[in-house]
Amino acid sequence: MKKTSTRLADGRELVYYDLRDDTVRDAVDRRPLERTVTTSEVRRDVLLGDSIAVASHRQGRTYHPPADECPLCPSRGERLSEIPDSSYDVVVFENRFPSLAGDSGRCEVVCFTSDHDASFASLGEEQARLVLDAWTDRTSELSHLPSVEQVFCFENRGAEIGVTLGHPHGQIYAYPFTTPRTALMLRSLSAHKEATGGENLFDAVLAEESAGERVVLTGEHWVAFVPYAAHWPYEVHLYPRRRVPDLLALDEAARAEFPRVYLELLRRFDRIFGEHEPPTPYISAWHQAPFGALEEFEGVTRDDFALHLELFTIRRTSGKLKFLAGSESGMGVFINDVPPERAAQRLREAATA
């Protein structure tokens, strides 16, 4: 992998990740852009004990542009985009309309391929590995920013999820705090460790699920399963068999196997509703240990956390979506229409022929 860092016309950082070491990236952003002005602010909810971001400048962000005006395609001729070069393998740049910025963190866009009509599932294994390497590198770089406590790499796919740009891409949020879901996991880790005399809760869950009926697929270094208490109709958790706290700690064997396993999972998601259905909308989310202090979670260290990916769709059956209604949105209590055991069976049956 070759990494080349440059700057866009308004000062934002852009990084090319290339498969070939001899690739030259010297294209200049020719757009007449002014410096990006953001109004991001993090506010603490004293009743719930969590934080939210206020980012009013995002009201003006690009919204469902036609394909020939996509800002994530390469620049060609006089058609100028966010990527100055006329081609690329993988590229990451600071979001022009970030939810978090400055002392409030940072947001980046990850373009998985220059092919506008592709999807992550259609990538080859070499390209998917390059994306994994880019996620890992960005996690490392962002973790060193003084305002950052947690790095979150994710992909939103599909208009039903709320995606406003059709080009295959994901995002990275670098938060100035530990996110609420991660904090819940850390509290459960702490409580379980104390109650069992030191047992790791992630290890216990992985051991139980790996031997159960909700396994979807396995590799030598990875295992994917539908969790016992899945929140979403089709939800898969992908874990490395060797517990590590973040992407940086994955060994080469796990990195090499990841593309095959992950691409198969994504392709099964596209098959579970039938070949005549539109591509399955989904969210794919990496859970990594925070880089900030963990003193409030008694007895827990970063090494106790288990890196894992959660992949889920809001489609519950053909032509029907799972909406977050009163119980979910009002009280945070999910009601799942699809038994996890049935979801796992469907995903096993959707294996590549």
Side-chain angles (χ1 to χ4, degrees):
M1 179 189 77
K2 181 180 181 182
K3 175 184 175 183
T4 306
S5 180
T6 185
R7 291 282 170 180
L8 297 174
D10 56 6
R12 288 176 293 132
E13 184 181 18
L14 180 144
V15 184
Y16 294 99
Y17 294 90
D18 287 294
L19 292 168
R20 292 174 55 96
D21 289 337
D22 59 354
T23 303
V24 176
R25 297 295 184 187
D26 55 8
V28 176
D29 186 2
R30 294 180 284 130
R31 296 174 297 170
L33 298 180
E34 297 181 357
R35 286 276 173 175
T36 300
V37 177
T38 63
T39 57
S40 297
E41 177 189 358
V42 172
R43 296 185 179 183
R44 181 81 171 168
D45 186 322
V46 295
L47 287 178
L48 297 180
D50 59 13
S51 299
I52 64 101
V54 179
S56 59
H57 62 277
R58 284 175 54 79
Q59 289 282 35
R61 67 188 184 273
T62 308
Y63 187 79
H64 292 299
D68 60 357
E69 296 179 17
C70 174
L72 306 185
C73 288
S75 292
R76 287 171 183 158
E78 294 308 308
R79 186 195 170 287
L80 306 179
S81 73
E82 288 281 69
I83 296 91
D85 217 328
S86 59
S87 67
Y88 64 84
D89 290 338
V90 172
V91 70
V92 179
F93 59 90
E94 288 184 75
N95 198 321
R96 191 176 179 185
F97 304 96
S99 301
L100 306 164
D103 292 339
S104 297
R106 176 157 155 157
C107 293
E108 297 184 338
V109 177
V110 184
C111 298
F112 303 139
T113 171
S114 61
D115 184 355
H116 181 85
D117 297 318
S119 67
F120 203 120
S122 71
L123 301 181
E125 290 188 15
E126 186 180 35
Q127 185 75 8
R129 168 62 190 264
L130 184 61
V131 176
L132 174 63
D133 290 342
W135 282 331
T136 304
D137 181 72
R138 298 317 302 160
T139 296
S140 176
E141 292 289 332
L142 294 172
S143 71
H144 290 98
L145 296 180
S147 63
V148 172
E149 287 196 12
Q150 186 171 356
V151 179
F152 176 46
C153 307
F154 65 100
E155 179 191 2
N156 297 330
R157 191 268 193 105
E160 301 94 330
I161 294 292
V163 175
T164 57
L165 297 176
H167 196 104
H169 73 288
Q171 299 181 66
I172 303 176
Y173 277 22
Y175 298 101
F177 51 79
T178 297
T179 60
R181 286 203 69 203
T182 303
L184 286 174
M185 294 181 199
L186 292 169
R187 292 188 188 101
S188 296
L189 265 177
S190 176
H192 185 82
K193 194 172 186 178
E194 181 179 3
T196 60
E199 182 182 59
N200 183 280
L201 180 57
F202 282 115
D203 291 351
V205 168
L206 183 58
E208 182 174 353
E209 293 286 13
S210 296
E213 61 180 322
R214 290 179 296 277
V215 171
V216 174
L217 64 87
T218 62
E220 183 179 354
H221 303 284
W222 295 86
V223 58
F225 57 87
V226 178
Y228 172 75
H231 288 55
W232 300 94
Y234 292 89
E235 174 182 338
V236 174
H237 293 190
L238 176 62
Y239 278 73
R241 292 186 183 275
R242 181 178 70 88
R243 172 165 44 90
V244 294
D246 52 38
L247 290 166
L248 302 172
L250 284 174
D251 60 25
E252 177 54 32
R255 292 180 185 282
E257 187 182 66
F258 171 79
R260 179 183 64 80
V261 175
Y262 185 52
L263 289 171
E264 174 63 16
L265 270 182
L266 293 180
R267 291 162 186 169
R268 291 190 191 190
F269 260 61
D270 273 344
R271 288 193 291 267
I272 52 177
F273 298 109
E275 60 181 17
H276 300 298
E277 285 289 318
T280 301
Y282 65 73
I283 292 175
S284 177
W286 280 109
H287 291 263
Q288 305 192 78
F291 290 95
L294 300 179
E295 285 84 356
E296 65 178 291
F297 310 105
E298 188 174 351
V300 172
T301 69
R302 288 194 81 249
D303 289 337
D304 290 319
F305 196 87
L307 167 77
H308 62 285
L309 181 143
E310 296 185 7
L311 173 68
F312 62 89
T313 179
I314 62 171
R315 185 178 291 167
R316 56 188 174 88
T317 190
S318 297
K320 297 179 181 179
L321 301 180
K322 165 67 178 177
F323 291 102
L324 298 189
S327 184
E328 292 90 351
S329 295
M331 283 293 158
V333 179
F334 277 67
I335 300 170
N336 194 346
D337 303 293
V338 181
E341 294 73 23
R342 175 57 180 157
Q345 180 183 354
R346 288 284 306 280
L347 287 163
R348 287 194 299 270
E349 292 170 350
T352 303

